[in-house]
C-alpha cells in the first residue's frame, strides 16, 4: 500500500463529505446518512479495515470499524463523529452550503465546523497511519453516526442500545465540541476540551382549570395559572453552582489571564472573558427558558387547559435540585411532562488520556494551554457514556484569533481554515501515538 499523507488528504475528504447532502430536519426527515456512510466505509476499507454499515431505518446509516492495536488486552478507545448536519437556507450563504468551496483559505459549507471537519480529520489520520503500518497502541473503535442533530435515536442511542457489542472494551471516547483554540494573546491559546455536558429537560407544561364563559367570574382560569407559572420560571434567578469542571476551568484561565478569581463571584470572573463569556456563562447554573405558549380558541371562552414549553438545562450533579425548583415554581395546578430528557455527564480532567491530548497540542502549538469546560448542550457522548465510557470533546483545531468559531455551529457561512484541518491531523496523529 502506498503511504498516504493525512495532511494532504484531509481537505479533500472534508470537501467531499460537505458535498454529500446529509441534512437532518428531525423526525426522521431528510436524505439520511447512507451516502456519507458509504463514502466513509469505502475510505476505511481502502486501508484494510472492515467497516460495518448499520442502518437503524431506511437510509439512516451508521459506520463502525475496529482497528486492532498493538496491545489488544488494554481497554479500547472510541473515536466518534456524526455524519448528519443541520438544515440551511442557501440564500443566506456567501458560498453554497453544499459546495465545499475553498475561499479565503477556508473550506466552506454546512458541516465544516459541525462536524464533517472532525470526520475528515479522523479519516485522514487513520488512513495515514494504517497505510504506513502504524497501529495505535491499543484497540481503537471508529463510529460515524447518524442523527446526532435530532438527539441520536437513529444514531448513537440506537447503536448503544442495539449493538453494544461493537463497543466492547471501550472505556474512553473522543468526540466533538472541544479541542479548538481561543486566543489569549499573540503567544498563547486556550484549547477547550469538553469534559462535561449539561443535561436536557424539554418540558410541556399544562395548566388545568375550569372551562367557562369569558363574562363570568372564574377563579380557576387555566390561562392565568399557566401565565403565572411561566412567569415564575422565566424570571427565576438560578443560583451559581460551581461544578468541578467549571472550578478547574476558572482556576486555570484566571492564572493564564492574570485575572483576580473570586470563588464567591464566579460571574464577575466569567464576565472578564470576552467572547468566551457567552459559552462559559451558561455553565455556571441551571437554566430554564420558556419557549412556546398555547391556550384558548375564542376571545369569550375560558379554556379547560393551556400549555407552554420550557427548555431546561441542568448541571452535572444538580438534576434533583433543578426539578425540585421547577416543581415549586409550577405551583399546584400546572403539571409537566418531558418532550425530551437526557442526562448530564462529567468526567475529571486527569489521567493518561488527558495528558496525551495536552501533550499532543503542546507539541504542535507551544503556546497551547489545555483546559476543561462544560458544554451547555449535548452530543452523542451522552449515549456512549451509558455504555460506561468517560468522554471528551477533542476535535483539535488551531484557529485564527479573530474567527468566531463557536458562533458558527449551526450558523450561516460555516467554514474551517485549511491550516486548522492540517493542524488537527498532526495533533490527532500524535495523540494516537500516546493514547
Ligand atoms: Zn455536532
Amino acid at each position: 500500500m502506498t503511504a498516504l499523507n493525512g495532511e494532504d488528504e484531509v481537505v479533500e475528504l472534508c470537501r467531499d463529505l460537505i458535498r454529500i447532502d446529509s441534512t437532518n430536519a428531525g423526525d426522521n426527515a431528510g436524505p439520511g446518512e447512507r451516502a456519507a456512510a458509504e463514502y466513509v466505509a469505502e475510505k476505511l476499507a481502502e486501508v484494510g479495515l472492515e467497516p460495518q454499515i448499520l442502518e437503524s431505518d431506511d437510509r439512516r446509516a451508521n459506520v463502525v470499524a475496529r482497528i486492532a492495536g498493538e496491545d489488544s488486552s488494554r481497554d479500547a478507545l472510541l473515536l466518534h463523529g456524526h455524519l448528519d448536519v443541520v438544515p440551511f437556507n442557501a440564500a443566506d450563504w456567501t458560498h453554497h452550503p453544499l459546495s465545499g468551496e475553498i475561499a479565503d483559505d477556508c473550506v466552506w459549507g454546512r458541516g465544516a465546523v459541525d462536524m464533517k471537519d472532525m470526520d475528515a480529520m479522523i479519516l485522514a489520520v487513520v488512513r495515514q497511519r494504517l497505510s504506513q503500518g502504524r497501529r495505535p497502541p491499543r484497540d481503537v473503535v471508529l463510529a460515524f453516526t447518524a442523527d446526532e442533530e435530532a438527539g441520536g435515536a437513529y444514531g448513537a442511542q440506537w447503536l448503544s442500545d442495539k449493538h453494544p457489542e461493537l463497543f466492547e472494551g471501550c472505556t474512553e471516547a473522543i468526540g466533538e465540541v472541544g479541542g479548538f483554540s481561543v486566543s489569549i494573546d499573540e503567544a498563547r491559546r486556550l484549547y477547550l476540551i469538553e469534559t462535561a455536558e449539561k443535561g436536557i429537560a424539554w418540558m410541556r407544561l399544562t395548566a388545568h382549570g375550569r372551562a367557562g364563559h369569558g363574562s363570568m367570574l372564574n377563579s380557576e382560569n387555566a390561562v392565568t395559572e399557566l401565565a403565572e407559572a411561566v412567569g415564575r420560571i422565566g424570571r427565576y434567578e438560578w443560583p451559581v453552582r460551581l461544578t468541578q469542571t467549571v472550578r478547574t476551568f476558572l482556576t486555570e484561565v484566571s492564572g493564564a489571564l492574570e485575572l483576580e478569581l473570586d470563588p464567591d463571584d464566579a460571574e464577575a470572573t466569567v464576565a472578564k472573558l470576552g467572547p468566551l463569556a457567552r459559552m462559559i456563562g451558561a455553565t455556571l447554573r441551571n437554566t430554564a427558558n420558556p419557549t412556546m405558549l398555547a391556550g384558548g380558541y375564542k376571545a369569550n371562552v375560558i379554556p379547560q387547559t393551556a400549555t407552554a414549553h420550557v427548555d431546561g438545562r441542568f448541571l452535572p450533579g444538580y438534576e434533583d435540585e433543578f426539578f425540585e425548583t421547577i416543581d415549586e415554581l409550577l405551583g399546584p395546578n400546572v403539571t409537566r411532562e418531558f418532550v425530551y430528557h437526557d442526562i448530564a455527564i462529567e468526567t475529571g480532567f486527569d489521567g493518561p488520556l488527558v495528558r496525551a491530548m495536552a501533550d499532543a497540542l503542546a507539541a504542535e502549538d507551544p503556546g497551547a494551554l489545555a483546559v476543561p469546560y462544560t458544554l451547555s448542550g449535548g452530543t452523542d457522548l451522552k449515549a456512549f457514556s451509558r455504555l460506561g465510557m468517560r468522554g471528551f470533546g477533542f476535535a483539535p483545531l488551531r484557529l485564527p484569533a479573530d474567527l468566531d468559531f463557536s458562533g458558527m455551529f449551526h450558523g450561516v457561512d460555516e467554514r474551517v481554515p485549511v491550516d486548522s484541518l492540517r493542524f488537527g491531523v498532526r495533533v490527532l496523529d500524535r495523540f494516537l501515538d500516546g493514547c
Side-chain angles (χ1 to χ4, degrees), residues 330-371:
L330 286 179
N333 300 319
V334 181
T335 57
R336 64 172 164 88
E337 61 196 312
F338 291 122
V339 176
Y340 186 78
H341 180 209
D342 209 341
I343 53 173
I345 51 178
E346 182 169 41
T347 189
F349 194 58
D350 52 17
L353 198 70
V354 168
R355 267 201 307 284
M357 287 186 267
D359 289 351
L361 286 168
E364 291 297 332
D365 180 358
L369 173 63
V371 292

Side-chain angles (χ1 to χ4, degrees), residues 233-246:
I233 290 171
R235 293 199 184 285
Y236 183 70
E237 288 193 27
W238 294 88
V240 170
R241 299 286 185 232
L242 289 189
T243 59
Q244 191 53 51
T245 300
V246 174

Side-chain angles (χ1 to χ4, degrees), residues 82 114-115 148-149 176-177 409-410:
H82 61 83
D114 184 11
M115 65 173 293
E148 193 275 343
E149 297 293 2
E176 65 171 330
V177 205
F409 283 81
H410 300 192

Side-chain angles (χ1 to χ4, degrees), residues 197-201 311-316 319 341-345 375-377 382:
E197 295 183 358
K198 283 177 102 171
I200 303 171
D311 181 351
R313 309 286 175 138
F314 48 88
L315 291 166
E319 182 167 3
H341 180 209
D342 209 341
I343 53 173
I345 51 178
L375 181 67
S376 60
K382 289 191 201 303

Side-chain angles (χ1 to χ4, degrees), residues 84-334:
D84 61 326
V85 294
V86 291
F88 50 78
N89 180 19
D92 299 336
W93 288 58
T94 307
H95 302 284
H96 195 283
L98 294 177
S99 69
E101 186 88 23
I102 295 184
D104 307 323
D105 303 316
C106 291
V107 178
W108 293 62
R110 179 56 90 213
V113 167
D114 184 11
M115 65 173 293
K116 288 176 169 174
D117 55 341
M118 176 62 166
D119 294 334
M121 281 155 46
I122 294 173
L123 283 179
V125 78
V126 164
R127 285 166 59 83
Q128 168 172 283
R129 295 180 65 95
L130 294 182
S131 71
Q132 297 169 354
R134 292 164 56 221
R135 287 199 287 160
R138 53 171 162 154
D139 283 10
V140 171
V141 175
L142 306 175
F144 296 87
T145 59
D147 202 37
E148 193 275 343
E149 297 293 2
Y154 296 94
Q157 277 188 35
W158 179 84
L159 278 176
S160 41
D161 285 351
K162 305 287 183 199
H163 294 282
E165 74 283 355
L166 296 173
F167 305 98
E168 171 125 32
C170 289
T171 54
E172 293 171 311
I174 296 288
E176 65 171 330
V177 205
F180 54 90
S181 70
V182 176
S183 295
I184 301 172
D185 50 39
E186 285 282 287
R188 294 177 306 164
R189 277 156 294 281
L190 298 175
Y191 284 82
L192 279 75
I193 295 175
E194 193 224 278
T195 57
E197 295 183 358
K198 283 177 102 171
I200 303 171
W202 295 348
M203 296 170 285
R204 178 168 35 243
L205 312 184
T206 306
H208 308 269
R210 186 159 47 83
H213 200 289
S215 69
M216 306 278 185
L217 296 177
N218 188 325
S219 59
E220 296 163 56
N221 183 317
V223 172
T224 308
E225 290 284 350
L226 182 81
E228 286 176 347
V230 166
R232 286 191 295 270
I233 290 171
R235 293 199 184 285
Y236 183 70
E237 288 193 27
W238 294 88
V240 170
R241 299 286 185 232
L242 289 189
T243 59
Q244 191 53 51
T245 300
V246 174
R247 218 177 268 280
T248 309
F249 172 86
L250 288 177
T251 307
E252 292 283 338
V253 172
S254 306
L257 301 184
E258 286 155 23
L259 289 175
E260 205 63 35
L261 170 64
D262 177 357
D264 295 325
D265 195 358
E267 284 199 291
T269 306
V270 169
K272 293 175 193 160
L273 297 179
L276 267 182
R278 186 181 52 189
M279 223 175 124
I280 303 302
T283 67
L284 295 179
R285 46 163 60 90
N286 295 333
T287 58
N289 281 308
T291 49
M292 295 164 71
L293 274 176
Y297 43 92
K298 193 165 187 294
N300 63 349
V301 179
I302 299 167
Q304 182 97 11
T305 59
T307 62
H309 285 72
V310 171
D311 181 351
R313 309 286 175 138
F314 48 88
L315 291 166
Y318 294 94
E319 182 167 3
D320 290 347
E321 183 187 47
F322 176 81
F323 288 116
E324 278 162 24
T325 305
I326 288 289
D327 287 342
E328 268 170 41
L329 295 171
L330 286 179
N333 300 319
V334 181

